[in-house]
Amino acid sequence: MVSVPHLVQYQGSKRNLAQRILRFCPSSVPRLVEPFAGTAAMSVAAAMQRRSGQFWLNDLNSPLIELLKLVIYHPQELADSYADLWSQQESDSMSHYFGVRRQFNETQDPKLFLYLLARCVKGAVRYNSQGEFNQSPDKRRRGTRPETMRKNIEGVSRLLRGHCELTAWDYREVLEGVSPGDLLYLDPPYQGVCGRGDSRYLSGIEFHEFVLALEELNQRGIAFILSYDGQRGETRFGQALPKSLGLQHITLTAGRSSQATLLGRDEVTIESLYLSPSLCKQHPIDIPSETREPRQLTLW
């Protein structure tokens, strides 16, 4: 099986679950829209399976969208820049990282951002109260090797070049621009673990506003898949979505939690997936009776 190209081990990315999530998508859709695109793992996987020929990638994190533009439309330039930055860390990798981080916060240069994402702890984007990227470097590794990064950049570019619209808008603006023929994949930050004042994310979303947005999508007949909450061990993340939305709830076992493992605990991460009424009408799924619960199916 040909591997799916990816940029970095971006925290929150659904890269490892993408193939399983796509099982709940129609075989072909005119356009796949990601209002919270991150590193576009779902669109890349969908392009590999030729499920859509058009993609709308949006993320409020503007440098991330600028990085995706370079990946898609200027892959060689970006790969060369990354190789140069990566090679400069040989003498003093820690000082080099902090120097690149300082320069990025001054310039917002997406080429610098790629190096930081490849080198930082857990591929996690973190910001301070001034909006500056402040994640620390991973002392155990030096980031993706340049030859591997180039291969992945070129792979993503081949799949998405000429097929993408890229924006850095608020997600509500994106939802206003979709039509009934689109399929949305929504992967917002976990509600309850982020917010506008939380240093771990650039911005969170407000629960009630988000529920209203989902209700409007239902009223307009828009098909969507939502990754919203989850569970690690006995700890649950995210406020329950109202049953009035009529969403089909599916849980996906994502494997052992790396964070819990670092803390000496053996815990499994469970990811929730929600299918909209419009999607279920277009693309019915067979729910085994032995796993049936109200609006829920667990897939191991």
Side-chain angles (χ1 to χ4, degrees):
M1 181 181 295
V2 178
S3 62
V4 180
H6 67 283
L7 292 183
V8 291
Q9 303 294 336
Y10 191 79
Q11 189 176 62
S13 169
K14 295 302 184 290
R15 180 175 66 89
N16 292 330
L17 289 175
Q19 303 298 328
R20 294 161 69 189
I21 293 173
L22 286 173
R23 291 166 53 192
F24 303 103
C25 298
S27 59
S28 178
V29 294
R31 182 172 65 166
L32 177 62
V33 181
E34 291 198 70
F36 309 92
T39 52
M42 283 297 299
S43 288
V44 171
M48 281 280 288
Q49 294 188 11
R50 299 185 179 181
R51 288 181 180 260
S52 181
Q54 295 296 322
F55 303 90
W56 182 357
L57 304 178
N58 179 81
D59 201 285
L60 192 58
N61 190 332
S62 182
L64 189 57
I65 289 298
E66 293 304 312
L67 173 57
L68 288 175
K69 289 179 181 178
L70 288 176
V71 169
I72 295 168
Y73 297 108
H74 303 282
Q76 298 305 324
E77 178 184 342
L78 180 61
D80 289 344
S81 172
Y82 177 82
D84 185 50
L85 285 168
W86 191 90
S87 66
Q88 291 174 24
Q89 69 182 342
E90 289 302 320
S91 58
D92 188 347
S93 65
M94 298 293 286
S95 295
H96 175 64
Y97 176 91
F98 288 119
V100 173
R101 191 178 74 176
R102 182 169 55 253
Q103 188 179 357
F104 169 73
N105 284 325
E106 293 171 353
T107 66
Q108 300 294 289
D109 186 340
K111 296 177 185 176
L112 304 178
F113 198 32
L114 176 60
Y115 171 77
L116 294 175
L117 291 176
R119 184 75 170 77
C120 71
V121 174
K122 296 188 295 185
V125 177
R126 299 288 186 264
Y127 296 90
N128 62 22
S129 58
Q130 286 75 49
E132 298 172 324
F133 184 84
N134 67 347
Q135 182 61 293
S136 300
D138 190 332
K139 298 178 181 179
R140 301 168 301 171
R141 59 188 183 87
R142 292 174 175 261
T144 307
R145 296 187 64 82
E147 56 269 28
T148 302
M149 181 65 79
R150 184 180 298 275
K151 179 180 178 181
N152 283 322
I153 289 172
E154 291 173 348
V156 172
S157 179
R158 281 193 297 270
L159 288 169
L160 298 182
R161 181 192 290 264
H163 303 288
C164 273
E165 177 181 0
L166 296 105
T167 54
W169 299 350
D170 183 280
Y171 76 94
R172 288 164 293 190
E173 295 180 76
V174 178
L175 300 191
E176 290 176 1
V178 300
S179 61
D182 295 327
L183 173 64
L184 274 76
Y185 175 67
L186 299 139
D187 186 20
Y190 277 172
Q191 185 270 336
V193 300
C194 64
R196 300 188 190 281
D198 192 311
S199 64
R200 294 175 294 174
Y201 296 91
L202 183 65
S203 179
I205 61 170
E206 202 281 321
F207 177 75
H208 296 291
E209 288 181 354
F210 188 61
V211 170
L212 288 174
L214 297 180
E215 288 178 348
E216 184 175 341
L217 290 176
N218 279 342
Q219 292 168 4
R220 294 165 56 197
I222 305 294
F224 64 84
I225 296 176
L226 168 64
S227 292
Y228 186 68
D229 53 23
Q231 181 175 344
R232 185 180 68 235
E234 298 301 318
T235 304
R236 289 184 175 274
F237 301 102
Q239 186 174 343
L241 293 165
K243 294 183 178 179
S244 60
L245 289 171
L247 305 178
Q248 177 73 57
H249 181 201
I250 296 165
T251 56
L252 303 173
T253 301
R256 302 292 174 186
S257 166
S258 57
Q259 178 63 25
T261 300
L262 289 173
L263 299 174
R265 300 196 298 266
D266 185 18
E267 296 177 343
V268 172
T269 299
I270 305 293
E271 299 270 2
S272 279
L273 203 66
Y274 296 88
L275 311 182
S276 73
S278 293
L279 178 62
C280 291
K281 190 177 298 183
Q282 297 173 21
H283 186 61
I285 62 172
D286 182 29
I287 304 176
S289 58
E290 65 270 17
T291 61
R292 187 186 299 270
E293 296 179 18
R295 298 185 180 85
Q296 182 165 328
L297 169 66
T298 301
L299 297 179
W300 293 86

